[in-house]
Amino acid sequence: MVPLIIGMLICVALAVAVVAVVAIPARREGRELLTPQGEEIIAVVKEKTASTLETTGEAIVTAKDKVADTITPGDSAEDIGRHRAG
């Protein structure tokens, strides 16, 4: 297992090195790293990610509130079972 992890880390290090060798000189020359289409895709992904996180956060808060309303801190296991049964 250890050799596999070491091999994966070496591959990641090589990938970062290749990107650095290509991206850093291009950036110094003033070239953009992404095409205009790539920039648009990144903007759409950021927007969708933000809306998804907002929706998920609201769902988590709603679920937490429902559980807190149903179960009080002093409830025993039997009380919780009765709450679930409705």
Side-chain angles (χ1 to χ4, degrees):
M1 186 68 167
V2 173
L4 178 66
I5 294 172
I6 291 172
M8 290 173 61
L9 290 174
I10 290 171
C11 288
V12 169
L14 288 173
V16 169
V18 168
V19 168
V21 166
V22 172
I24 292 173
R27 195 71 179 132
R28 286 187 181 156
E29 291 174 9
R31 290 185 286 172
E32 294 296 322
L33 297 177
L34 296 175
T35 63
Q37 181 183 7
E39 293 288 344
E40 289 176 21
I41 291 171
I42 294 295
V44 169
V45 168
K46 283 182 181 179
E47 182 179 311
K48 287 185 178 182
T49 301
S51 67
T52 301
L53 286 174
E54 183 179 313
T55 304
T56 304
E58 291 172 3
I60 290 172
V61 169
T62 302
K64 181 186 75 121
D65 290 344
K66 285 182 180 179
V67 169
D69 290 344
T70 304
I71 299 173
T72 57
D75 283 349
S76 66
E78 290 176 8
D79 293 334
I80 293 171
R82 274 187 262 140
H83 287 301
R84 286 185 184 164

